Every structure is written in structure tokens, then in C-alpha cells.
mmCIF file of all heavy atoms in Angstrom:
data_model
loop_
_atom_site.group_PDB
_atom_site.id
_atom_site.type_symbol
_atom_site.label_atom_id
_atom_site.label_comp_id
_atom_site.label_asym_id
_atom_site.label_seq_id
_atom_site.Cartn_x
_atom_site.Cartn_y
_atom_site.Cartn_z
ATOM 1 N N ASP H 656 -12.076 -131.036 136.891
ATOM 2 C CA ASP H 656 -11.811 -131.628 138.205
ATOM 3 C C ASP H 656 -12.290 -133.080 138.264
ATOM 4 O O ASP H 656 -11.595 -133.956 138.792
ATOM 5 C CB ASP H 656 -12.497 -130.823 139.312
ATOM 6 C CG ASP H 656 -11.858 -129.467 139.537
ATOM 7 O OD1 ASP H 656 -10.745 -129.215 139.027
ATOM 8 O OD2 ASP H 656 -12.495 -128.628 140.226
ATOM 9 N N ALA H 657 -13.483 -133.334 137.713
ATOM 10 C CA ALA H 657 -14.030 -134.691 137.721
ATOM 11 C C ALA H 657 -13.168 -135.625 136.879
ATOM 12 O O ALA H 657 -12.889 -136.766 137.281
ATOM 13 C CB ALA H 657 -15.472 -134.678 137.211
ATOM 14 N N LEU H 658 -12.738 -135.152 135.717
ATOM 15 C CA LEU H 658 -11.871 -135.972 134.866
ATOM 16 C C LEU H 658 -10.512 -136.202 135.520
ATOM 17 O O LEU H 658 -9.950 -137.298 135.435
ATOM 18 C CB LEU H 658 -11.695 -135.315 133.499
ATOM 19 C CG LEU H 658 -12.897 -135.378 132.565
ATOM 20 C CD1 LEU H 658 -12.684 -134.473 131.361
ATOM 21 C CD2 LEU H 658 -13.179 -136.806 132.131
ATOM 22 N N SER H 659 -9.981 -135.186 136.181
ATOM 23 C CA SER H 659 -8.691 -135.331 136.866
ATOM 24 C C SER H 659 -8.778 -136.367 137.974
ATOM 25 O O SER H 659 -7.868 -137.187 138.146
ATOM 26 C CB SER H 659 -8.236 -133.989 137.440
ATOM 27 O OG SER H 659 -7.984 -133.078 136.398
ATOM 28 N N LEU H 660 -9.864 -136.351 138.706
ATOM 29 C CA LEU H 660 -10.079 -137.341 139.766
ATOM 30 C C LEU H 660 -10.237 -138.731 139.156
ATOM 31 O O LEU H 660 -9.674 -139.705 139.648
ATOM 32 C CB LEU H 660 -11.311 -136.963 140.586
ATOM 33 C CG LEU H 660 -11.643 -137.832 141.783
ATOM 34 C CD1 LEU H 660 -10.489 -137.852 142.784
ATOM 35 C CD2 LEU H 660 -12.912 -137.327 142.451
ATOM 36 N N LEU H 661 -10.962 -138.798 138.080
ATOM 37 C CA LEU H 661 -11.177 -140.069 137.394
ATOM 38 C C LEU H 661 -9.880 -140.626 136.825
ATOM 39 O O LEU H 661 -9.684 -141.838 136.770
ATOM 40 C CB LEU H 661 -12.197 -139.858 136.273
ATOM 41 C CG LEU H 661 -12.676 -141.053 135.498
ATOM 42 C CD1 LEU H 661 -13.205 -142.129 136.425
ATOM 43 C CD2 LEU H 661 -13.759 -140.623 134.538
ATOM 44 N N ALA H 662 -8.969 -139.766 136.428
ATOM 45 C CA ALA H 662 -7.709 -140.190 135.807
ATOM 46 C C ALA H 662 -6.667 -140.694 136.808
ATOM 47 O O ALA H 662 -5.681 -141.310 136.415
ATOM 48 C CB ALA H 662 -7.128 -139.034 134.994
ATOM 49 N N LEU H 663 -6.885 -140.448 138.084
ATOM 50 C CA LEU H 663 -5.928 -140.886 139.110
ATOM 51 C C LEU H 663 -5.867 -142.404 139.204
ATOM 52 O O LEU H 663 -6.815 -143.100 138.853
ATOM 53 C CB LEU H 663 -6.330 -140.338 140.483
ATOM 54 C CG LEU H 663 -6.249 -138.842 140.705
ATOM 55 C CD1 LEU H 663 -6.849 -138.489 142.061
ATOM 56 C CD2 LEU H 663 -4.814 -138.355 140.595
ATOM 57 N N ASP H 664 -4.770 -142.919 139.746
ATOM 58 C CA ASP H 664 -4.671 -144.353 140.006
ATOM 59 C C ASP H 664 -5.617 -144.729 141.149
ATOM 60 O O ASP H 664 -6.106 -143.860 141.882
ATOM 61 C CB ASP H 664 -3.225 -144.739 140.348
ATOM 62 C CG ASP H 664 -2.761 -144.091 141.635
ATOM 63 O OD1 ASP H 664 -2.966 -144.672 142.719
ATOM 64 O OD2 ASP H 664 -2.209 -142.965 141.556
ATOM 65 N N ALA H 665 -5.874 -145.999 141.292
ATOM 66 C CA ALA H 665 -6.862 -146.499 142.253
ATOM 67 C C ALA H 665 -6.586 -146.027 143.680
ATOM 68 O O ALA H 665 -7.482 -145.540 144.369
ATOM 69 C CB ALA H 665 -6.919 -148.021 142.207
ATOM 70 N N GLN H 666 -5.358 -146.180 144.134
ATOM 71 C CA GLN H 666 -5.040 -145.794 145.512
ATOM 72 C C GLN H 666 -5.240 -144.300 145.731
ATOM 73 O O GLN H 666 -5.767 -143.881 146.768
ATOM 74 C CB GLN H 666 -3.599 -146.189 145.868
ATOM 75 C CG GLN H 666 -3.245 -145.939 147.315
ATOM 76 C CD GLN H 666 -4.077 -146.786 148.278
ATOM 77 O OE1 GLN H 666 -4.084 -148.011 148.191
ATOM 78 N NE2 GLN H 666 -4.789 -146.146 149.200
ATOM 79 N N SER H 667 -4.848 -143.492 144.777
ATOM 80 C CA SER H 667 -5.019 -142.043 144.905
ATOM 81 C C SER H 667 -6.493 -141.659 144.924
ATOM 82 O O SER H 667 -6.889 -140.737 145.643
ATOM 83 C CB SER H 667 -4.309 -141.322 143.750
ATOM 84 O OG SER H 667 -2.924 -141.548 143.813
ATOM 85 N N GLN H 668 -7.309 -142.360 144.155
ATOM 86 C CA GLN H 668 -8.744 -142.093 144.175
ATOM 87 C C GLN H 668 -9.324 -142.394 145.551
ATOM 88 O O GLN H 668 -10.096 -141.602 146.098
ATOM 89 C CB GLN H 668 -9.457 -142.934 143.108
ATOM 90 C CG GLN H 668 -9.175 -142.476 141.709
ATOM 91 C CD GLN H 668 -9.701 -143.423 140.662
ATOM 92 O OE1 GLN H 668 -9.723 -144.642 140.851
ATOM 93 N NE2 GLN H 668 -10.124 -142.863 139.530
ATOM 94 N N VAL H 669 -8.939 -143.516 146.096
ATOM 95 C CA VAL H 669 -9.431 -143.892 147.428
ATOM 96 C C VAL H 669 -8.936 -142.897 148.470
ATOM 97 O O VAL H 669 -9.706 -142.449 149.324
ATOM 98 C CB VAL H 669 -9.014 -145.339 147.779
ATOM 99 C CG1 VAL H 669 -9.332 -145.670 149.221
ATOM 100 C CG2 VAL H 669 -9.707 -146.324 146.837
ATOM 101 N N ASP H 670 -7.666 -142.527 148.398
ATOM 102 C CA ASP H 670 -7.113 -141.567 149.355
ATOM 103 C C ASP H 670 -7.842 -140.222 149.268
ATOM 104 O O ASP H 670 -8.069 -139.574 150.287
ATOM 105 C CB ASP H 670 -5.615 -141.345 149.099
ATOM 106 C CG ASP H 670 -4.780 -142.569 149.437
ATOM 107 O OD1 ASP H 670 -5.270 -143.492 150.116
ATOM 108 O OD2 ASP H 670 -3.608 -142.606 148.976
ATOM 109 N N ALA H 671 -8.210 -139.817 148.069
ATOM 110 C CA ALA H 671 -8.851 -138.517 147.877
ATOM 111 C C ALA H 671 -10.290 -138.494 148.375
ATOM 112 O O ALA H 671 -10.765 -137.445 148.826
ATOM 113 C CB ALA H 671 -8.817 -138.140 146.395
ATOM 114 N N LEU H 672 -10.981 -139.620 148.336
ATOM 115 C CA LEU H 672 -12.421 -139.606 148.614
ATOM 116 C C LEU H 672 -12.878 -140.420 149.815
ATOM 117 O O LEU H 672 -14.035 -140.301 150.217
ATOM 118 C CB LEU H 672 -13.193 -140.077 147.374
ATOM 119 C CG LEU H 672 -13.086 -139.156 146.172
ATOM 120 C CD1 LEU H 672 -13.715 -139.799 144.956
ATOM 121 C CD2 LEU H 672 -13.725 -137.818 146.459
ATOM 122 N N ALA H 673 -12.024 -141.281 150.353
ATOM 123 C CA ALA H 673 -12.441 -142.083 151.504
ATOM 124 C C ALA H 673 -12.794 -141.165 152.665
ATOM 125 O O ALA H 673 -12.204 -140.086 152.786
ATOM 126 C CB ALA H 673 -11.328 -143.050 151.893
ATOM 127 N N PRO H 674 -13.747 -141.465 153.449
ATOM 128 C CA PRO H 674 -14.464 -142.733 153.560
ATOM 129 C C PRO H 674 -15.709 -142.835 152.675
ATOM 130 O O PRO H 674 -16.511 -143.755 152.835
ATOM 131 C CB PRO H 674 -14.864 -142.771 155.028
ATOM 132 C CG PRO H 674 -15.149 -141.342 155.348
ATOM 133 C CD PRO H 674 -14.134 -140.557 154.540
ATOM 134 N N ALA H 675 -15.891 -141.932 151.745
ATOM 135 C CA ALA H 675 -17.066 -141.999 150.861
ATOM 136 C C ALA H 675 -17.026 -143.285 150.036
ATOM 137 O O ALA H 675 -15.999 -143.951 149.937
ATOM 138 C CB ALA H 675 -17.081 -140.792 149.929
ATOM 139 N N ASP H 676 -18.143 -143.609 149.446
ATOM 140 C CA ASP H 676 -18.216 -144.713 148.503
ATOM 141 C C ASP H 676 -17.538 -144.217 147.230
ATOM 142 O O ASP H 676 -18.136 -143.504 146.428
ATOM 143 C CB ASP H 676 -19.677 -145.083 148.256
ATOM 144 C CG ASP H 676 -19.826 -146.303 147.380
ATOM 145 O OD1 ASP H 676 -18.845 -146.712 146.730
ATOM 146 O OD2 ASP H 676 -20.941 -146.851 147.330
ATOM 147 N N VAL H 677 -16.266 -144.554 147.061
ATOM 148 C CA VAL H 677 -15.424 -143.956 146.027
ATOM 149 C C VAL H 677 -15.982 -144.144 144.615
ATOM 150 O O VAL H 677 -16.098 -143.166 143.878
ATOM 151 C CB VAL H 677 -13.966 -144.456 146.145
ATOM 152 C CG1 VAL H 677 -13.109 -143.936 145.010
ATOM 153 C CG2 VAL H 677 -13.387 -144.033 147.491
ATOM 154 N N PRO H 678 -16.364 -145.360 144.215
ATOM 155 C CA PRO H 678 -16.885 -145.490 142.845
ATOM 156 C C PRO H 678 -18.127 -144.624 142.610
ATOM 157 O O PRO H 678 -18.230 -143.943 141.589
ATOM 158 C CB PRO H 678 -17.235 -146.977 142.729
ATOM 159 C CG PRO H 678 -16.438 -147.653 143.784
ATOM 160 C CD PRO H 678 -16.281 -146.650 144.881
ATOM 161 N N GLU H 679 -19.029 -144.626 143.561
ATOM 162 C CA GLU H 679 -20.251 -143.823 143.424
ATOM 163 C C GLU H 679 -19.932 -142.332 143.372
ATOM 164 O O GLU H 679 -20.499 -141.588 142.571
ATOM 165 C CB GLU H 679 -21.216 -144.099 144.580
ATOM 166 C CG GLU H 679 -21.905 -145.428 144.495
ATOM 167 C CD GLU H 679 -22.929 -145.514 143.372
ATOM 168 O OE1 GLU H 679 -23.456 -144.478 142.940
ATOM 169 O OE2 GLU H 679 -23.186 -146.638 142.924
ATOM 170 N N GLU H 680 -19.044 -141.889 144.223
ATOM 171 C CA GLU H 680 -18.698 -140.464 144.282
ATOM 172 C C GLU H 680 -18.021 -140.001 142.997
ATOM 173 O O GLU H 680 -18.343 -138.935 142.459
ATOM 174 C CB GLU H 680 -17.796 -140.201 145.486
ATOM 175 C CG GLU H 680 -17.471 -138.749 145.704
ATOM 176 C CD GLU H 680 -18.649 -137.881 146.080
ATOM 177 O OE1 GLU H 680 -19.649 -138.399 146.615
ATOM 178 O OE2 GLU H 680 -18.583 -136.663 145.830
ATOM 179 N N ILE H 681 -17.090 -140.779 142.492
ATOM 180 C CA ILE H 681 -16.399 -140.416 141.255
ATOM 181 C C ILE H 681 -17.392 -140.336 140.100
ATOM 182 O O ILE H 681 -17.378 -139.385 139.320
ATOM 183 C CB ILE H 681 -15.264 -141.413 140.943
ATOM 184 C CG1 ILE H 681 -14.093 -141.148 141.886
ATOM 185 C CG2 ILE H 681 -14.817 -141.327 139.493
ATOM 186 C CD1 ILE H 681 -12.951 -142.118 141.743
ATOM 187 N N LEU H 682 -18.245 -141.342 139.997
ATOM 188 C CA LEU H 682 -19.213 -141.356 138.902
ATOM 189 C C LEU H 682 -20.226 -140.224 139.031
ATOM 190 O O LEU H 682 -20.587 -139.597 138.036
ATOM 191 C CB LEU H 682 -19.922 -142.708 138.833
ATOM 192 C CG LEU H 682 -19.032 -143.873 138.401
ATOM 193 C CD1 LEU H 682 -19.800 -145.187 138.485
ATOM 194 C CD2 LEU H 682 -18.485 -143.659 136.999
ATOM 195 N N ALA H 683 -20.660 -139.939 140.245
ATOM 196 C CA ALA H 683 -21.624 -138.851 140.445
ATOM 197 C C ALA H 683 -21.016 -137.511 140.050
ATOM 198 O O ALA H 683 -21.657 -136.711 139.352
ATOM 199 C CB ALA H 683 -22.091 -138.819 141.898
ATOM 200 N N ARG H 684 -19.797 -137.260 140.469
ATOM 201 C CA ARG H 684 -19.141 -135.994 140.114
ATOM 202 C C ARG H 684 -18.989 -135.859 138.603
ATOM 203 O O ARG H 684 -19.216 -134.796 138.038
ATOM 204 C CB ARG H 684 -17.778 -135.889 140.794
ATOM 205 C CG ARG H 684 -17.869 -135.658 142.280
ATOM 206 C CD ARG H 684 -16.503 -135.568 142.903
ATOM 207 N NE ARG H 684 -16.591 -135.488 144.354
ATOM 208 C CZ ARG H 684 -15.625 -135.027 145.120
ATOM 209 N NH1 ARG H 684 -14.491 -134.595 144.601
ATOM 210 N NH2 ARG H 684 -15.769 -134.991 146.424
ATOM 211 N N PHE H 685 -18.594 -136.951 137.961
ATOM 212 C CA PHE H 685 -18.429 -136.912 136.511
ATOM 213 C C PHE H 685 -19.771 -136.711 135.811
ATOM 214 O O PHE H 685 -19.890 -135.886 134.910
ATOM 215 C CB PHE H 685 -17.739 -138.178 135.998
ATOM 216 C CG PHE H 685 -17.679 -138.231 134.504
ATOM 217 C CD1 PHE H 685 -16.898 -137.325 133.801
ATOM 218 C CD2 PHE H 685 -18.431 -139.153 133.794
ATOM 219 C CE1 PHE H 685 -16.862 -137.346 132.410
ATOM 220 C CE2 PHE H 685 -18.401 -139.181 132.410
ATOM 221 C CZ PHE H 685 -17.618 -138.274 131.722
ATOM 222 N N ARG H 686 -20.787 -137.464 136.229
ATOM 223 C CA ARG H 686 -22.108 -137.330 135.599
ATOM 224 C C ARG H 686 -22.643 -135.909 135.690
ATOM 225 O O ARG H 686 -23.132 -135.348 134.707
ATOM 226 C CB ARG H 686 -23.113 -138.268 136.265
ATOM 227 C CG ARG H 686 -23.112 -139.647 135.742
ATOM 228 C CD ARG H 686 -24.317 -140.413 136.295
ATOM 229 N NE ARG H 686 -23.963 -141.784 136.459
ATOM 230 C CZ ARG H 686 -23.778 -142.397 137.625
ATOM 231 N NH1 ARG H 686 -23.964 -141.770 138.755
ATOM 232 N NH2 ARG H 686 -23.443 -143.661 137.664
ATOM 233 N N ILE H 687 -22.558 -135.328 136.865
ATOM 234 C CA ILE H 687 -23.080 -133.974 137.075
ATOM 235 C C ILE H 687 -22.326 -132.966 136.205
ATOM 236 O O ILE H 687 -22.927 -132.152 135.516
ATOM 237 C CB ILE H 687 -23.016 -133.594 138.562
ATOM 238 C CG1 ILE H 687 -24.026 -134.426 139.362
ATOM 239 C CG2 ILE H 687 -23.268 -132.100 138.767
ATOM 240 C CD1 ILE H 687 -23.821 -134.376 140.870
ATOM 241 N N ALA H 688 -21.007 -133.025 136.251
ATOM 242 C CA ALA H 688 -20.201 -132.064 135.487
ATOM 243 C C ALA H 688 -20.388 -132.251 133.982
ATOM 244 O O ALA H 688 -20.539 -131.271 133.239
ATOM 245 C CB ALA H 688 -18.724 -132.211 135.862
ATOM 246 N N ALA H 689 -20.391 -133.487 133.525
ATOM 247 C CA ALA H 689 -20.553 -133.757 132.095
ATOM 248 C C ALA H 689 -21.921 -133.297 131.611
ATOM 249 O O ALA H 689 -22.035 -132.665 130.554
ATOM 250 C CB ALA H 689 -20.366 -135.251 131.819
ATOM 251 N N THR H 690 -22.946 -133.579 132.382
ATOM 252 C CA THR H 690 -24.302 -133.184 132.003
ATOM 253 C C THR H 690 -24.424 -131.670 131.922
ATOM 254 O O THR H 690 -25.015 -131.140 130.976
ATOM 255 C CB THR H 690 -25.325 -133.771 132.997
ATOM 256 O OG1 THR H 690 -25.204 -135.204 132.981
ATOM 257 C CG2 THR H 690 -26.738 -133.377 132.636
ATOM 258 N N ARG H 691 -23.846 -130.960 132.880
ATOM 259 C CA ARG H 691 -23.875 -129.488 132.839
ATOM 260 C C ARG H 691 -23.210 -128.958 131.581
ATOM 261 O O ARG H 691 -23.716 -128.041 130.922
ATOM 262 C CB ARG H 691 -23.165 -128.895 134.062
ATOM 263 C CG ARG H 691 -24.010 -128.834 135.295
ATOM 264 C CD ARG H 691 -23.268 -128.214 136.471
ATOM 265 N NE ARG H 691 -22.861 -126.844 136.218
ATOM 266 C CZ ARG H 691 -21.836 -126.247 136.829
ATOM 267 N NH1 ARG H 691 -21.119 -126.894 137.712
ATOM 268 N NH2 ARG H 691 -21.532 -124.997 136.556
ATOM 269 N N CYS H 692 -22.057 -129.518 131.228
ATOM 270 C CA CYS H 692 -21.332 -129.044 130.042
ATOM 271 C C CYS H 692 -22.072 -129.376 128.757
ATOM 272 O O CYS H 692 -22.122 -128.556 127.836
ATOM 273 C CB CYS H 692 -19.926 -129.633 130.020
ATOM 274 S SG CYS H 692 -18.837 -128.886 131.244
#
């Protein structure tokens, strides 16, 4: 899921996560999932 979100184009990433801080949210999700694996 984190990689799929990361792979989206810029506008789709913003649409999926706004109003959150999109860069921070994407990186946090990836870091957590990657570290667990």
C-alpha cells in the first residue's frame, strides 16, 4: 500500500492524502511498513 501510494503521480498523491502534509505522510507510511518488513 505504501509503495502504491508512493508510485502515484503528484496530483493523485495530494488528492489521496490532503489536507495532511503529503510528503511527510507518504514517507512515514513507507518508513513504518518497510521497517516492519
